[in-house]
Amino acid sequence: MSTPDEDTVLSGALSTRNLEAFGRKVTTTAGHLIGPLGDPAAPNHYQNAMSNLHRGIRRPGLQRKVFSFANSSPTELVRSKLSTSEIQYRAVTYLPDELLQNIPEDDNVYSLFQGFQATLPETHLEYRKGHRRRQSRGQKLLEEADSDKEGMPKIGQLRSEKEHLNHRLEMLSVRKNMASAEIREIDTKIANMNIMRKIVLDRLADFEEDEALIEHDLVAVTNKIDDLQDEIDDTADVSQSSPTSKADGDSDTTLSESQAMNASFMSESIYEKIPSPRSRRPKIMRRKSIPIRHEHFEPGSNIREIQAHNDMITALDFDFPFGTMVTAALDDTVRVWDLNAGRCMGMLEGHHASVRCLQVEDNLVATGSMDASIRLWDLSRAEYNPQGTGNRINKDGEEVEEDHLGFENPDDLPPAPPASSMQDCPLFSLEAHVDEVTALHFRGDTLVSGSADKTLRQWDLQTGRCVQTLDVLWAAAQASSTMNSNDGQWRQTGRLPDASADFVGALQCFDAALACGTADGMVRLWDLRSGQVHRSLVGHTGPVSCLQFDDVHLVTGSLDRSIRIWDLRTGSIYDAYAHENPITSMQFDTRRIVSAAGEDVAKIYDKTDGRHWDCGAGVTAEEDGTTPATVERVRIKDGYLTEGRKDGMVGVWTC
């Protein structure tokens, strides 16, 4: 809307009289230029121009040019106006808008020419500086005497020297600025590379998760094939054993009753409930793909923490990084965990007391309990769907429902596993010990267990029978009498008896070789073929609580606070070191020895560089204002560390 003042101005400027005068002028001018066609007195400028234009248009050459111009592309038009060198120059110097938008700010105080000057070597000054260093003291005195004779130096020389010094100072400042700019550029590249590294690491995690899902499906299909094959075999056996006559049927019935009585008697024997011919045998299913994601984390990085139990962890083990972990505690439960998702897969139920020791080997688990029994489990029979864990998106693009641990919120409790998830996992039970089982180890079809009844027992996992019993005290006495020395006999440790120390603290077997650590601080090497001790390692002054050996070395940990590394070839001590508290658990891989020594951290010894360092929640406890519980059990494989604490918490770390 216009104001009244504006309306007044417009009405005064564009009045009717002004419009009429402007119209007359336009009409007069147009008539003068064009004029009537029939009036000879009128000027013919317009007619002459139009006739010349018509004649030019009718020319064949002009018509061809117009037609060629109409059919030409924009590129041909540009090439017709520009030379080849100019087109090449424009193509080389062209910058897209994306690059022009990311031009860094020009915050350099020095020009490009100054930077170029700073990169040139100062040969003259360097020569003078080097020559000056080579001057002797006598030569300096002679030059000073000559300068005294000649008088004061000339002012031109001093000014030249001043210019040289100013130039050097300026060049040093330019070089310093260039070095600073290069450092900033390197920092920017490092930040960008870290971002790219995180993206690639997430991609690697997705690949490993897909591998785990495919392996799980493969195991499920394999189990179905085995079940169908067992059904086919059972059907074939039933059809072959059908009676041909009534008399034969009666005799078979009598025979089957006698066999049933014998089977019932043998199943209740002290050795073992012998599994039936059609019962499942232990079958190791090795995984084809091994996760490598943890190898790209910084040492000491925390991967996950799980509140596994409500009481002290007594035993834990896992098969491979980000695989399956089994934990046992004084709350009389044994839980199976998916380390990739951090959730409980189920509980292994069957023992009547707390489990003191366990081992996980691929899909097989062996547990030794305070109820004097050993049970074997097949985790490949577990009803578990790994696709229901974590925050994943299905192939249709829809988000899969996530559990509480998918958000990694420590306040959220893990979802309870189904009660029947592990009901098909039990294989059989080994019952021959008369006191709690404190140590066990199996490899292949052989399992060796140690108990508080002061015996070691060798088991055949194919038949479920105890094939050999080794009395530790008797073997120690025999070794002492045979060697005519006190090295093999049972001896006191020089300390007060520890009621919490296990008689058999640890053991490991390999083929016919067995290493056993006992409460007298001795480490005995057995030959399972003869059942005799062929070597005793003396050195610890407290009960041996853990041991492990490889091809060359045997590493032992004791309640005397020391860890000793033995040379199996000579039987002597190769290396040893000590901690401030008793050693309760220890394991090593190709590079590190990890131990639990009564602290809130896991103690790590790097064998390659001889460095000792700590890993665990206690490292940053003071900064975080937390008080983690004492670490009781540790396990490590390929730099992937799991540690169980007194409060039932399990931590997963890289080291």
Side-chain angles (χ1 to χ4, degrees):
M1 298 292 295
S2 60
T3 61
D5 297 338
E6 293 177 352
D7 294 339
T8 304
V9 173
L10 290 175
S11 61
L14 297 178
S15 60
T16 305
R17 183 178 299 176
N18 293 335
L19 291 175
E20 291 178 354
F22 179 74
R24 286 195 298 271
K25 290 180 180 179
V26 171
T27 303
T28 304
T29 303
H32 181 73
L33 290 175
I34 299 175
L37 297 176
D39 188 4
N44 53 1
H45 303 289
Y46 179 75
Q47 289 79 7
N48 294 336
M50 292 300 296
S51 60
N52 293 333
L53 181 60
H54 284 299
R55 286 196 299 270
I57 290 175
R58 287 195 298 268
R59 293 178 181 175
L62 183 60
Q63 291 180 357
R64 285 194 299 270
K65 290 181 179 181
V66 172
F67 182 75
S68 176
F69 179 79
N71 294 333
S72 300
S73 62
T75 304
E76 294 175 349
L77 294 177
V78 172
R79 289 179 177 176
S80 63
K81 295 296 182 181
L82 302 176
S83 62
T84 304
S85 60
E86 189 173 0
I87 292 175
Q88 293 176 351
Y89 172 76
R90 293 194 179 190
V92 171
T93 57
Y94 170 74
L95 293 176
D97 296 337
E98 292 79 5
L99 293 179
L100 296 177
Q101 291 176 357
N102 297 325
I103 295 179
E105 297 181 0
D106 187 11
D107 54 353
N108 295 324
V109 297
Y110 299 101
S111 64
L112 182 62
F113 180 71
Q114 288 176 319
F116 174 73
Q117 278 186 322
T119 58
L120 296 178
E122 299 180 3
T123 55
H124 174 64
L125 294 178
E126 293 294 333
Y127 168 76
R128 290 183 59 190
K129 183 168 63 175
H131 181 67
R132 192 183 300 117
R133 283 197 299 264
R134 289 192 295 269
Q135 289 179 348
S136 63
R137 184 172 179 274
Q139 190 173 1
K140 288 183 179 179
L141 294 175
L142 292 175
E143 291 180 354
E144 291 177 358
D146 294 339
S147 62
D148 292 339
K149 293 179 181 179
E150 295 178 359
M152 297 296 294
K154 296 181 180 180
I155 189 172
Q157 295 178 354
L158 295 177
R159 288 176 177 174
S160 177
E161 184 69 18
K162 180 181 178 181
E163 290 179 359
H164 283 299
L165 293 176
N166 287 332
H167 177 73
R168 286 192 60 194
L169 184 62
E170 182 181 3
M171 292 298 102
L172 289 175
S173 179
V174 174
R175 290 168 184 164
K176 184 175 69 174
N177 185 269
M178 292 172 61
S180 178
E182 190 172 357
I183 291 175
R184 288 195 296 270
E185 184 179 359
I186 292 174
D187 292 339
T188 303
K189 292 180 179 179
I190 291 175
N192 294 333
M193 293 302 293
N194 287 331
I195 295 174
M196 292 299 300
R197 186 179 186 276
K198 186 178 182 304
I199 294 174
V200 177
L201 195 61
D202 294 339
R203 191 187 310 160
L204 177 61
D206 293 338
F207 292 156
E208 291 187 350
E209 191 171 355
D210 293 339
E211 276 185 346
L213 294 176
I214 294 175
E215 295 255 4
H216 180 269
D217 296 340
L218 182 61
V219 171
V221 172
T222 304
N223 289 334
K224 291 180 181 179
I225 293 174
D226 294 340
D227 293 340
L228 292 176
Q229 186 64 41
D230 291 341
E231 292 180 1
I232 294 173
D233 295 340
D234 291 340
T235 305
D237 292 343
V238 169
S239 61
Q240 291 177 2
S241 62
S242 59
T244 57
S245 63
K246 184 177 180 180
D248 293 339
D250 295 338
S251 62
D252 291 341
T253 302
T254 305
L255 182 60
S256 62
E257 289 178 356
S258 62
Q259 290 177 352
M261 293 177 61
N262 294 334
S264 176
F265 172 75
M266 291 299 295
S267 65
E268 295 176 358
S269 66
I270 192 174
Y271 292 104
E272 178 50 40
K273 294 179 181 178
I274 303 176
S276 63
R278 287 301 171 195
S279 63
R280 293 195 299 269
R281 295 291 191 271
K283 181 180 179 181
I284 296 179
M285 304 181 68
R286 301 190 181 278
R287 182 167 176 173
K288 298 180 180 179
S289 59
I290 301 299
I292 59 173
R293 188 196 334 167
H294 63 284
E295 299 177 0
H296 304 284
F297 292 162
E298 290 292 331
S301 300
N302 177 250
I303 299 177
R304 190 182 297 276
E305 285 189 342
I306 305 172
Q307 186 62 51
H309 297 272
N310 299 323
D311 209 335
M312 185 180 74
I313 302 292
T314 57
L316 83 161
D317 196 11
F318 65 97
D319 51 2
F320 51 82
F322 297 100
T324 303
M325 177 180 66
V326 181
T327 60
L330 290 180
D331 58 5
D332 297 343
T333 60
V334 181
R335 298 178 182 269
V336 184
W337 300 88
D338 181 359
L339 288 175
N340 191 34
R343 66 179 293 180
C344 183
M345 301 168 55
M347 291 190 293
L348 301 178
E349 299 177 344
H351 286 291
H352 303 293
S354 298
V355 169
R356 293 292 311 278
C357 53
L358 63 88
Q359 180 185 349
V360 179
E361 189 70 26
D362 295 313
N363 59 297
L364 292 184
V365 179
T367 55
S369 172
M370 297 175 68
D371 62 4
S373 68
I374 302 168
R375 291 182 178 269
L376 265 71
W377 318 78
D378 185 2
L379 296 184
S380 65
R381 298 285 175 174
E383 297 178 359
Y384 174 68
N385 182 18
Q387 293 182 349
T389 63
N391 46 353
R392 293 179 52 83
I393 298 177
N394 57 17
K395 296 181 179 180
D396 298 333
E398 299 178 357
E399 188 175 355
V400 180
E401 183 179 358
E402 302 179 2
D403 57 20
H404 298 288
L405 287 179
F407 297 97
E408 296 186 357
N409 188 355
D411 297 331
D412 294 335
L413 295 177
S420 60
S421 59
M422 298 290 168
Q423 64 181 0
D424 295 333
C425 293
L427 291 175
F428 48 81
S429 176
L430 308 177
E431 299 175 358
H433 287 291
V434 295
D435 206 340
E436 61 176 314
V437 179
T438 58
L440 62 82
H441 186 269
F442 72 90
R443 184 180 180 88
D445 296 333
T446 301
L447 184 146
V448 180
S449 59
S451 171
D453 60 7
K454 300 179 177 57
T455 62
L456 305 176
R457 292 184 181 269
Q458 179 183 357
W459 306 84
D460 185 355
L461 296 182
Q462 287 294 330
T463 62
R465 280 183 173 274
C466 177
V467 297
Q468 185 174 197
T469 302
L470 306 175
D471 191 316
V472 178
L473 295 179
W474 181 84
Q478 288 294 109
S480 176
S481 61
T482 302
M483 295 183 294
N484 294 324
S485 65
N486 296 326
D487 292 342
Q489 69 180 2
W490 187 265
R491 63 190 182 90
Q492 297 297 328
T493 60
R495 296 171 176 265
L496 293 176
D498 189 356
S500 62
D502 297 325
F503 184 87
V504 179
L507 56 85
Q508 181 183 349
C509 62
F510 181 81
D511 291 338
L514 170 65
C516 172
T518 51
D520 63 342
M522 297 281 289
V523 179
R524 295 176 174 85
L525 306 181
W526 301 70
D527 187 349
L528 294 178
R529 294 167 296 188
S530 62
Q532 300 292 328
V533 176
H534 67 85
R535 178 175 292 177
S536 298
L537 306 179
V538 182
H540 284 294
T541 59
V544 177
S545 58
C546 45
L547 65 81
Q548 183 184 354
F549 65 83
D550 56 12
D551 297 337
V552 180
H553 296 110
L554 168 68
V555 183
T556 58
S558 170
L559 298 185
D560 63 2
R561 306 191 301 274
S562 69
I563 290 180
R564 298 174 183 265
I565 305 174
W566 309 80
D567 191 336
L568 292 176
R569 297 165 295 186
T570 61
S572 60
I573 294 180
Y574 174 78
D575 194 4
Y577 59 93
H579 293 293
E580 297 180 358
N581 299 303
I583 310 299
T584 58
S585 179
M586 181 275 307
Q587 194 177 30
F588 67 85
D589 59 5
T590 56
R591 177 170 179 173
R592 309 161 193 85
I593 300 176
V594 181
S595 58
E599 300 183 19
D600 55 4
V601 295
K603 314 296 287 188
I604 299 177
Y605 172 63
D606 197 322
K607 297 184 290 185
T608 57
D609 56 9
R611 182 171 64 97
H612 292 265
W613 57 287
D614 299 338
C615 179
V619 175
T620 59
E622 186 176 355
E623 300 177 0
D624 301 338
T626 58
T627 55
T630 304
V631 176
E632 291 292 329
R633 295 292 183 266
V634 292
R635 281 294 179 268
I636 184 173
K637 292 180 182 178
D638 299 328
Y640 189 88
L641 169 66
T642 59
E643 44 93 5
R645 309 171 195 167
K646 262 190 176 181
D647 59 354
M649 183 75 72
V650 174
V652 184
W653 308 80
T654 60
C655 60

